[in-house]
Amino acid sequence: MIGCMGRWEPNGRGRLAQAALDLYVERGFDQTTVAEIAERAGLTERTFFRHYADKREVLFDGSAMLQQLMVDAAAAAPDDASPLEATAAALVAVGEMFDERREFARRRHSVIVANPELQERELIKLARLTEAIAATLRERGVGEPAASLTAQAGIGVFHVSFQRWVAPGETRRIGELMREGVEELRAVMR
Amino acid sequence: MIGCMGRWEPNGRGRLAQAALDLYVERGFDQTTVAEIAERAGLTERTFFRHYADKREVLFDGSAMLQQLMVDAAAAAPDDASPLEATAAALVAVGEMFDERREFARRRHSVIVANPELQERELIKLARLTEAIAATLRERGVGEPAASLTAQAGIGVFHVSFQRWVAPGETRRIGELMREGVEELRAVMR
DNA sequence: CACTCGATGTCAGCCGCTGACCTCGCCTAT
DNA sequence: ATAGGCGAGGTCAGCGGCTGACATCGAGTG
């Protein structure tokens, strides 16, 4: 019951993720083959593809958890909260988790900005997240297109704030950058 | 000077695009090989890749023109126009062109919604478009993060409106949907 | 001690994509 | 008019991402 440790070492999945990030940083995404990742993790190429749908997905393992966190936070907002307030609650919810892992985020981000294929994957994760939040708002009684537009604005603020947050030299916390972003967007739409 | 018609038939690039869209619609993106596209166009696989960087790009030929159109429109807005007004001008500029090609857009869209890889490509095109508009706003003297947030809001409205515009049964023009979207977003941010 | 079951290994193969090199046919200059 | 430039296309070989089918191992279960 406790075993389940594959054939040899435990946590093959985690070893693959670690090996992949290391290699992507060391020599670049394109210059890394899946066989090399698997070898460094002490596994085979075929096993890599059992854990991750493709070579890119290994960098996006946390996105499901992020989505769950944000959706839960938006759903838990008080009934009388406005769509924007519920969305803002989702943003606040992820703030702490991000601030704890800034260096990891920078490392990962440096790989992604260097490769268009990875940016595509990041963008579709963001789009799915947007849809999930829009669905949550709809369940809260928000109509269309208001729900989609609000979710889009919220994720837009998140995205812009995230990019500022990982920029070299930036020391403010992501929550502060997101608050500032919401205010700025309000001002611009006024 | 006028010749330049490849080795046999003229417009190989266009024939490839037509063959690709037809096949993607007929049997799906995944079930279509590049060799088949090339064969239907009377060319070879290798030639396909000389015209298009990859199998997906053939569906996104028009995006460069779209970007140019929107950037020019935003840049041409009067000096005293607000960031939001300049961005709205970019939206208006694409309205007519889209309305003229609604059936083509629906056909193309049906292929894209059926395939995540194609959605990724669409999203990165939208992201590049967003960056281009943000850059235009910056040239107009708008600071950061206001420029990025405004561009993101504008493209967000465009995206949501486009999806409503291609939905089956929808008859309103895209310009009207975008105007409505901007108003809705304003209301939600208030 | 079989037996099941989930995780991994092995192997063969398709297809997207690329580099290197060759061919064809129009165009221009001498 | 002929030579050579040049751009579009063809041919071939090969890498690497990804998959299906099947074998194997190790741990828990009866």
Side-chain angles (χ1 to χ4, degrees):
Chain A
M1 196 72 176
I2 308 180
C4 274
M5 60 171 66
R7 208 174 317 199
W8 287 291
E9 302 298 316
N11 194 23
R13 191 183 171 88
R15 271 152 47 219
L16 284 167
Q18 185 68 53
L21 180 56
D22 289 348
L23 284 169
Y24 293 170
V25 168
E26 279 175 31
R27 62 176 89 159
F29 179 78
D30 282 337
Q31 285 64 49
T32 303
T33 80
V34 175
E36 288 166 345
I37 297 169
E39 188 187 8
R40 179 172 293 206
L43 295 167
T44 66
E45 184 182 354
R46 192 69 185 83
T47 298
F48 177 95
F49 287 110
R50 284 201 185 88
H51 284 286
Y52 299 101
D54 60 53
K55 192 185 165 190
R56 292 174 275 168
E57 195 64 18
V58 65
L59 287 179
F60 297 90
D61 226 7
S63 65
M65 200 189 61
L66 175 67
Q67 175 165 326
Q68 196 59 50
L69 200 66
M70 293 186 75
V71 164
D72 289 349
D79 278 358
D80 63 343
S82 71
L84 184 61
E85 284 166 345
T87 306
L91 298 187
V92 169
V94 298
E96 274 187 35
M97 178 192 310
F98 272 72
D99 281 314
E100 286 170 10
R101 316 188 184 194
R102 198 167 194 155
E103 279 319 306
F104 167 78
R106 284 201 165 113
R107 201 172 144 79
R108 176 176 169 281
H109 185 71
S110 74
V111 173
I112 293 176
V113 292
N115 193 289
E117 294 176 62
L118 293 171
Q119 292 163 39
E120 291 187 344
R121 181 56 51 87
E122 176 138 285
L123 288 168
I124 205 171
K125 295 292 184 186
L126 240 32
R128 303 282 185 240
L129 180 52
T130 304
E131 287 165 19
I133 291 181
T136 304
L137 293 177
R138 260 179 259 122
E139 278 166 24
R140 292 173 57 89
V142 182
E144 283 293 359
S148 290
L149 287 166
T150 309
Q152 196 121 51
I155 297 302
V157 166
F158 170 71
H159 192 200
V160 169
S161 304
F162 179 84
Q163 280 174 215
R164 304 178 79 197
W165 179 70
V166 293
E170 178 61 64
T171 60
R172 279 171 291 178
R173 303 174 73 207
I174 194 170
E176 185 186 340
L177 293 166
M178 291 192 297
R179 260 190 303 279
E180 190 181 309
V182 172
E183 284 317 307
E184 194 89 29
L185 181 56
R186 278 188 119 105
V188 134
M189 292 298 301
R190 204 178 308 278
Chain B
M1 196 73 176
I2 308 177
C4 272
M5 57 171 67
R7 207 175 317 201
W8 288 293
E9 303 298 315
N11 194 23
R13 191 183 171 90
R15 270 152 49 219
L16 285 167
Q18 185 68 52
L21 180 56
D22 289 348
L23 285 168
Y24 293 170
V25 168
E26 279 175 30
R27 62 177 86 160
F29 179 80
D30 282 337
Q31 286 64 49
T32 303
T33 76
V34 175
E36 288 166 346
I37 298 169
E39 188 186 9
R40 179 173 293 207
L43 295 169
T44 65
E45 185 182 354
R46 192 68 186 83
T47 298
F48 177 95
F49 287 108
R50 280 201 257 270
H51 284 286
Y52 299 101
D54 60 53
K55 193 186 166 188
R56 291 174 275 166
E57 194 64 17
V58 66
L59 288 179
F60 297 88
D61 226 7
S63 66
M65 201 188 60
L66 175 67
Q67 175 166 327
Q68 195 59 52
L69 201 65
M70 293 187 75
V71 164
D72 288 349
D79 279 358
D80 63 344
S82 71
L84 183 61
E85 285 166 344
T87 305
L91 297 187
V92 169
V94 298
E96 271 186 37
M97 177 193 311
F98 272 72
D99 281 314
E100 285 170 12
R101 317 189 184 195
R102 197 165 192 155
E103 280 319 306
F104 168 78
R106 283 200 165 113
R107 201 172 145 78
R108 175 176 169 282
H109 186 70
S110 74
V111 173
I112 293 176
V113 291
N115 193 289
E117 295 176 62
L118 293 171
Q119 293 164 39
E120 291 187 345
R121 181 57 51 85
E122 175 139 285
L123 288 168
I124 204 172
K125 295 291 183 186
L126 279 174
R128 302 282 185 242
L129 180 52
T130 304
E131 287 165 21
I133 291 180
T136 304
L137 293 177
R138 261 179 259 120
E139 278 166 24
R140 293 172 56 88
V142 182
E144 283 294 357
S148 289
L149 287 166
T150 308
Q152 194 121 49
I155 297 301
V157 166
F158 171 72
H159 191 200
V160 169
S161 305
F162 179 84
Q163 279 174 216
R164 303 178 79 199
W165 179 71
V166 293
E170 179 62 64
T171 60
R172 279 171 291 177
R173 304 175 73 208
I174 194 168
E176 186 186 339
L177 293 167
M178 291 192 298
R179 261 190 303 279
E180 190 181 308
V182 171
E183 284 318 308
E184 195 90 27
L185 180 56
R186 279 188 116 106
V188 135
M189 292 300 300
R190 205 178 306 278

